[in-house]
Amino acid sequence: MGSSRAAKHSKTTATLWFFLAIGLACPRATAWGIRQGKEFFPLSASASRVTMAGSSVVYHSLMWCCSILPRWRITCYKGWTSAHFASAASYTTFHENWKVKSSKDSRHRVTKLWHVGLFRNRVFYCTSSAGAWEVPLTSERYGVQRLPFSHVSDKDLAFFEHTVPGRVITDPDMLKPFNVDWLKMVRGCSKVLLKPRISGEVSEILRYCNERNLAVTPQGGNTGLVGGSVPVFDEIILSTALMNQVISFNGVSGILVCQAGCILETLNQYVEEQEFIMPLDLGAKGSCHIGGNVATNAGGIRLLRYGSLRGTVLGLEAVLANGRVLNCLTSLRKDNTGYDLKQLFIGSEGTLGVITAVSILCPRKPKAANVAFLGCGSFAHVLETFKVCKGMLGEILSAYEFLDDECMKLVQKHLKLNNPLTGSPFYVLIETSGSNAGHDEEKLNNFLEQVISSGLVIAGTLATDETKIKALWALRERITEALTHDGYVYKYDISLPVEKLYDLVCDTRARLGKSAKNVVGYGHLGDGNLHLNITADSYQQTLLNAIEPFVYEWTAKYQGSISAEHGLGFKKKQHIYYSKPDEAVELMQKVKAMLDPRGILNPYKTLPTQGSH
């Protein structure tokens, strides 16, 4: 008896030291819980009673380790298993969804914990403490009333399980990242996530949901910025994540046919092997899906060179609200037979049908690429430099991006990126791509000599190797990420005549004064697209009232568009009238009513509530 007690005491002591050692080994993480099999044990300081491994002593000792020594904490997330990190893309998606700073060190720590034999089926995940539950519900923040859709029943779940066996997610913790946008600004409360693999399964799901009057939110990579890809209430989430197969690629024409769930960066890598590139390039390329790109008519940094998706998408397949499959998946460059129905779905944000496959024209991969990063003394000089750039670089110009000094300060402060130039109020990033490296470099050097000697450019740097090119692009592409670290972000995606582009930033900054933390402007100057961003420590209705409708009225005054490339989603739908006449909006509503008479597809999005104008 005594030896048995001594053995138990010895085991308990060893366990205590074991968990204390784990606490010491994770200095940068925060404690939330441990997964053991299918049970989760919350390790918060407020918890009162939990039994773990049959020993409350172990639990309280770990509590002490996590609460008394706050620098040494273990972070775990419910619902995430090693299967979620089966690929680099899924690991990246996890980090982006939960705002984890991706690094070799953090990835090594997670991998190491998977393989500790003593844990067996206990899995620890190191991540940030921010969670989806901290985001207010969209319906409460914006005062939205739920439409009279049906609620999901056990019978419905049985049908879904029969249709997509093993791919029906109802675990509340696994649903959390799908219910909140990656900016952590809107949140729904869906109780069901479905993951079809083929269009036939999507067809069966929508046919059933239409009959049952169940609302559905299509979701791709969930990288949208206007709340269009997450539920507002309890809509069923229809994820395209498993619809990720390339159907065909023509190495002569460069026409790619693929499912909607293919990740943009993965597609680019695939066609690069065939000496082609995707005509679209976005900062979110490692997570966004091509179907979502098409559904929102995403713009990006290559639009100046290759045009919008409305020109490069040759065909698509979409499933309508009643389950009928519309196969317009043509691979023809020319097809003038009747109405171009695919255009209805490009930019429709999942409100008219669920895009399941696309046919897209890919340009040849350039043999030479160069990036110049320049500093300008004023926005007038940015515009004049652009004029010279178009005249001297012409056919090899593929991108002309700008950012103000406030943006640069944010990426330096929050992301620790290095600014190769200092002391400039504005920065310009120019990319050239062509077939002859010597020819391109000569043209670029002549251009740089011209703009520097004329005083349009204060200073500049040139990159030709891939590492330096990526480092310069990071200064522009990671601005959105830096903004999320600065607080709550009010985001505006505006299209304006280029000569008026930065005036909106100046006027907004003057209007808000010290009530805003930062007011910054950056974007695609080559196509007149401004990204106006305002940050504050937290969401403030008074600040929002000062911003809106001022920004929209200002944009309308100069015949601009309140949404250049991100769509209207949930956040901007009521403001559509600033860019579209009543007759156009009325026609859109009629098209919606014809294709989706019960309104089950992505409700509360894109189109304004009827009678609200």
Side-chain angles (χ1 to χ4, degrees), residues 161-337:
E161 186 60 42
H162 175 75
T163 305
V164 286
R167 288 168 279 140
V168 180
I169 311 300
T170 57
D171 185 322
D173 298 295
M174 294 182 72
L175 283 166
K176 281 176 181 174
F178 299 93
N179 263 310
V180 66
D181 71 324
W182 79 275
L183 289 173
K184 302 292 183 287
M185 292 181 183
V186 291
R187 179 167 68 95
C189 51
S190 175
K191 297 176 176 60
V192 184
L193 168 70
L194 306 178
K195 290 187 172 184
R197 286 198 178 98
I198 58 175
S199 58
E201 292 175 342
V202 176
S203 174
E204 284 298 301
I205 290 168
L206 291 188
R207 178 192 61 78
Y208 181 86
C209 289
N210 190 57
E211 291 174 356
R212 281 275 296 118
N213 195 33
L214 292 166
V216 178
T217 295
Q219 187 177 103
N222 196 15
T223 59
L225 302 179
V226 289
S229 59
V230 294
V232 174
F233 290 95
D234 57 346
E235 300 90 85
I236 294 167
I237 302 173
L238 183 65
S239 171
T240 59
L242 299 182
M243 303 182 72
N244 56 6
Q245 301 300 307
V246 171
I247 298 171
S248 66
F249 181 74
N250 189 310
V252 177
S253 65
I255 297 172
L256 171 74
V257 182
C258 63
Q259 288 185 299
C262 292
I263 293 172
L264 179 59
E265 188 173 37
T266 303
L267 288 178
N268 199 63
Q269 292 169 352
Y270 175 85
V271 297
E272 272 194 347
E273 294 175 0
Q274 321 291 326
E275 298 300 318
F276 287 82
I277 61 170
M278 293 296 289
L280 177 69
D281 192 9
L282 305 171
K285 58 191 171 187
S287 302
C288 64
H289 296 181
I290 189 63
N293 298 149
V294 174
T296 57
N297 190 30
I301 57 181
R302 288 179 179 165
L303 189 141
L304 177 64
R305 176 71 174 271
Y306 302 116
S308 73
L309 286 174
R310 293 195 180 278
T312 54
V313 171
L314 303 179
L316 55 78
E317 178 187 76
V319 181
L320 304 181
N322 61 8
R324 294 189 65 181
V325 179
L326 180 66
N327 189 345
C328 294
L329 204 59
T330 179
S331 295
L332 299 173
R333 294 287 300 274
K334 289 186 174 182
D335 182 7
N336 207 16
T337 52

Side-chain angles (χ1 to χ4, degrees), residues 23-57:
L24 295 173
C26 298
R28 298 178 64 186
T30 43
W32 201 87
I34 289 178
R35 176 175 184 176
Q36 181 178 0
K38 294 183 178 180
E39 300 299 323
F40 293 89
F41 305 97
L43 302 183
S44 62
S46 60
S48 56
R49 280 188 263 171
V50 173
T51 302
M52 175 178 167
S55 172
S56 61
V57 178

Side-chain angles (χ1 to χ4, degrees), residues 439-458:
H439 168 266
D440 296 355
E441 189 172 345
E442 182 182 357
K443 293 191 75 168
L444 186 56
N445 284 332
N446 289 338
F447 160 74
L448 292 175
E449 287 179 10
Q450 171 71 23
V451 292
I452 291 174
S453 63
S454 64
L456 294 176
V457 170
I458 298 172

